[in-house]
């Protein structure tokens, strides 16, 4: 009964003057803390549902106003927990605000693979619920398996610039070959649920101060599948699916941004067809190069005398050392451009809007001068006797300030 419920503000640990931003932050923190896939405490699931219910009410201005005025009686039947309520956001919609709306991966985060080695996602099945939702190209089977699989692949900066071919290994779900996805030991072991007549949902009615609210909820008898399994398949244990490991070569185009690569028809098998594989690239930093658009930036240390006299020097490029000629009197910190030695997108119009080559921008830095013998030093001293206009101007200004200070 509603009288036994805790105050929603108390549930989220916020004051009654909390802003919507405060409410979202509090909900996100608590939902991650008490999600049953992360928190194995006996009361974690109950707390998780309580947190979700409180957020559904307080995040909606109209429901919040009714709650503030009438308490739980004003909103009972409007907050539907995991199933959503009449006119209210469901659990999936709440998390899509946080994750899909803020650049979360498309599709479903079922398995992660780091450097081609399979690892569990740091949040386990949490991502499956956060990024799920039957939206767009993401569809689920009735047993909750999402179509798409996501992997994270680490590559070096130079592999990112030049392109590479990587072998990745990941897990995906396929229909059980023994029961052909039914979950029953024999075809006769799978029968239509009589509670929902195979629909997977039932109509639930709730009485509220505003009238009777009817809502569709998952059938408690068959758990939304529409089927009852009398004897479970001894291969998949009634799941209707098995997990397999797949190795796959993926071609990474040179210069592609960190948005995911989509490999069609290599995701989970759902309702007779396979979803897609999303490969998220994690690019390591380089100690030598930095990218900006299609241009690459680097540094080259040269002897100061070479900078003064001008001449050939060696500069690093992603494709190897390259000889360039600098002009006489090149200043320390001056930048020179080596054309067409940056990102090359000409052959990757599938991934880029324009096939444009970038440049290599090299910053010239003076290294410590070489050690010279006495004869060489005498020659340098002769050259150094020539007045430097910038030095002379500096001395004049310094002398003027000192004498009149």
């Amino acid at each position: 009964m509603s009288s036994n419920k805790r105050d929603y503000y108390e549930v989220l640990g916020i004051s009654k003057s909390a802003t919507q931003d405060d409410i979202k932050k509090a909900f996100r923190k608590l939902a991650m803390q008490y999600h049953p896939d992360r928190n194995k405490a006996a009361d974690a699931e109950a707390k998780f549902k309580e947190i979700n219910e409180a957020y559904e009410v307080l995040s909606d201005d109209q429901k919040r106003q009714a709650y503030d005025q009438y308490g739980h009686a004003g909103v009972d039947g409007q907050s539907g927990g995991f199933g959503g309520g009449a006119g209210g956001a469901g659990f999936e919609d709440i998390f899509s605000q946080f994750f899909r709306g803020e650049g979360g991966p498309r599709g479903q985060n079922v398995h992660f693979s780091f450097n081609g080695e399979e690892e569990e996602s740091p949040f386990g099945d949490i991502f499956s619920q956060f990024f799920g939702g039957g939206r767009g190209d993401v569809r689920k089977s009735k047993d909750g398996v999402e179509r798409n699989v996501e992997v994270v692949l680490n590559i070096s900066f130079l592999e990112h610039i030049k392109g590479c071919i990587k072998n990745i290994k990941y897990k995906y779900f396929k229909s059980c070959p023994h029961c052909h996805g039914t979950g029953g030991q024999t075809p006769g072991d799978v029968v239509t649920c009589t509670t929902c007549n195979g629909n997977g949902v039932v109509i639930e009615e709730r009485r509220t101060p505003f009238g009777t609210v009817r809502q569709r909820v998952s059938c408690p008898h068959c758990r939304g599948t529409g089927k009852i399994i009398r004897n479970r398949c001894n291969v998949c244990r009634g799941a209707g699916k098995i997990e397999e490991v797949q190795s796959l070569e993926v071609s990474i185009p040179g210069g592609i941004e960190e948005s995911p690569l989509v490999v069609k028809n290599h995701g989970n098998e759902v309702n007779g067809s396979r979803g897609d594989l999303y490969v998220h690239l994690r690019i390591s930093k380089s100690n030598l190069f930095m990218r900006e658009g299609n241009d690459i930036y680097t540094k080259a240390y040269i002897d100061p005398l070479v900078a003064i006299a001008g001449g050939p020097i060696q500069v690093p490029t992603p494709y190897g050392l390259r000889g360039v000629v600098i002009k006489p009197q090149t200043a320390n910190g001056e930048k020179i451009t080596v054309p067409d030695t940056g990102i090359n997108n000409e052959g990757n119009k599938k991934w880029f809007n324009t096939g444009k080559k970038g440049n290599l921008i090299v910053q010239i830095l003076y290294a410590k001068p070489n050690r010279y013998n006495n004869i060489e030093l005498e020659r340098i001293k002769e050259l150094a006797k020539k007045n430097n206009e910038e030095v002379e101007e500096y001395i004049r200004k310094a002398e003027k300030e000192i004498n009149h200070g």
Side-chain angles (χ1 to χ4, degrees), residues 189-363:
D189 288 320
V190 182
V191 296
T192 300
C193 175
T194 56
T195 302
C196 65
N197 294 320
N199 295 318
V201 294
V202 293
I203 304 299
E204 183 180 87
E205 291 188 353
R206 291 186 181 182
R207 294 171 99 45
T208 76
F210 306 101
T212 300
V213 175
R214 305 180 74 224
Q215 60 181 0
R216 292 161 60 91
V217 298
S218 181
C219 175
H221 191 204
C222 65
R223 297 184 179 182
T225 64
K227 302 290 183 182
I228 298 296
I229 302 174
R230 291 171 174 169
N231 295 303
R232 298 183 181 278
C233 170
N234 57 17
V235 175
C236 65
R237 299 181 181 178
K241 61 184 181 295
I242 60 174
E243 196 173 48
E244 286 205 350
V245 177
Q246 180 166 356
S247 293
L248 181 69
E249 275 195 350
V250 179
S251 179
I252 311 296
I256 190 172
E257 300 290 350
E258 292 194 43
S259 54
L261 291 170
V262 182
V263 185
K264 294 290 185 181
N265 303 317
H266 279 80
N268 291 318
E269 184 179 323
V270 174
N271 301 328
S273 64
R274 290 190 67 174
D276 300 329
L277 173 68
Y278 287 82
V279 182
H280 295 268
L281 301 178
R282 182 182 292 164
I283 302 165
S284 62
K285 291 184 178 180
S286 169
N287 294 324
L288 196 58
F289 302 104
M290 182 183 73
R291 175 180 181 175
E292 188 173 306
N294 279 349
D295 294 331
I296 298 175
Y297 288 75
T298 190
K299 298 175 182 178
Y301 287 87
I302 65 173
D303 188 285
L305 292 183
V306 175
I308 294 170
I313 63 170
Q314 293 281 309
V315 299
T317 80
Y319 314 99
L321 290 175
R322 178 166 173 174
V324 298
V325 177
I326 61 171
K327 69 182 189 303
Q329 301 182 40
T330 298
N332 184 37
E334 186 174 336
K335 293 178 181 178
I336 63 173
T337 299
V338 184
D340 300 335
T341 320
I343 306 294
N344 183 1
N345 294 336
E346 286 188 328
N348 296 320
K349 292 184 179 180
K350 175 183 177 182
W351 303 101
F352 304 97
N353 293 329
T354 59
K356 177 185 176 184
K357 282 186 178 181
N359 300 318
L360 180 71
I361 313 299
V362 184
Q363 184 182 28

Side-chain angles (χ1 to χ4, degrees), residues 9 22 34 40 70 83 95 105 110 114 118 158 167 182 208 224 250 269 315 326 337 356 369 381 388 390 395:
Y9 292 100
D22 295 332
Y34 288 105
K40 301 304 180 182
Y70 301 108
F95 280 97
V110 179
F114 295 92
E118 173 68 21
L158 289 181
N167 186 278
T182 65
T208 76
V250 179
E269 184 179 323
V315 299
I326 61 171
T337 299
K356 177 185 176 184
K381 287 178 182 179
N388 184 296
E390 187 175 2
I395 293 299

Side-chain angles (χ1 to χ4, degrees), residues 9-232:
Y9 292 100
E10 179 186 340
V11 170
L12 296 183
I14 55 178
S15 68
K16 290 191 175 182
S17 61
T19 65
Q20 284 298 324
D21 191 48
D22 295 332
I23 293 171
K24 287 181 180 180
K25 288 180 180 178
F27 171 71
R28 185 189 306 201
K29 179 180 178 181
L30 292 171
M32 295 291 282
Q33 179 180 351
Y34 288 105
H35 193 286
D37 286 339
R38 298 188 70 197
N39 191 325
K40 301 304 180 182
D43 61 346
E45 184 173 354
K47 286 185 177 180
F48 187 65
K49 291 180 179 179
E50 183 183 45
I51 292 161
N52 178 59
E53 182 178 319
Y55 177 76
E56 282 194 40
V57 171
L58 298 184
S59 64
D60 184 295
D61 290 337
Q62 188 175 357
K63 292 181 184 179
R64 184 179 180 181
Q65 184 178 2
Y67 176 73
D68 288 343
Q69 187 170 0
Y70 301 108
H72 291 292
V75 294
D76 276 355
Q78 296 189 56
S79 57
F82 287 93
F91 172 75
E92 166 196 312
D93 294 326
I94 294 170
F95 280 97
S96 68
Q97 294 173 25
F98 290 147
F99 295 95
R100 187 180 292 104
E102 295 178 5
R106 290 173 291 174
Q108 285 311 109
N109 194 317
V110 179
H111 293 286
F112 273 76
S113 175
F114 295 92
N115 286 330
E117 295 298 325
E118 173 68 21
E119 289 188 15
E120 291 297 324
S121 164
F123 296 103
D125 290 337
I126 294 177
F127 282 106
S128 295
Q129 297 187 45
F130 285 1
F131 296 120
R135 299 167 181 264
D137 63 347
V138 181
R139 287 168 289 177
K140 294 182 180 181
S141 63
K142 285 190 175 182
D143 60 6
V145 176
E146 296 79 16
R147 291 179 58 80
N148 299 333
V149 176
E150 309 236 357
V151 297
V152 175
L153 180 64
N154 288 340
I155 62 174
S156 71
F157 183 86
L158 289 181
E159 287 175 325
H160 156 59
I161 296 301
K162 296 187 289 186
C164 60
I165 296 177
K166 288 287 189 178
N167 186 278
I168 61 175
K169 188 182 295 184
Y170 66 98
K171 293 179 182 178
Y172 76 99
F173 287 109
K174 62 178 290 186
S175 294
C176 174
H178 180 73
C179 67
H180 303 290
T182 65
Q185 183 63 18
T186 67
D189 288 320
V190 182
V191 296
T192 300
C193 175
T194 56
T195 302
C196 65
N197 294 320
N199 295 318
V201 294
V202 293
I203 304 299
E204 183 180 87
E205 291 188 353
R206 291 186 181 182
R207 294 171 99 45
T208 76
F210 306 101
T212 300
V213 175
R214 305 180 74 224
Q215 60 181 0
R216 292 161 60 91
V217 298
S218 181
C219 175
H221 191 204
C222 65
R223 297 184 179 182
T225 64
K227 302 290 183 182
I228 298 296
I229 302 174
R230 291 171 174 169
N231 295 303
R232 298 183 181 278

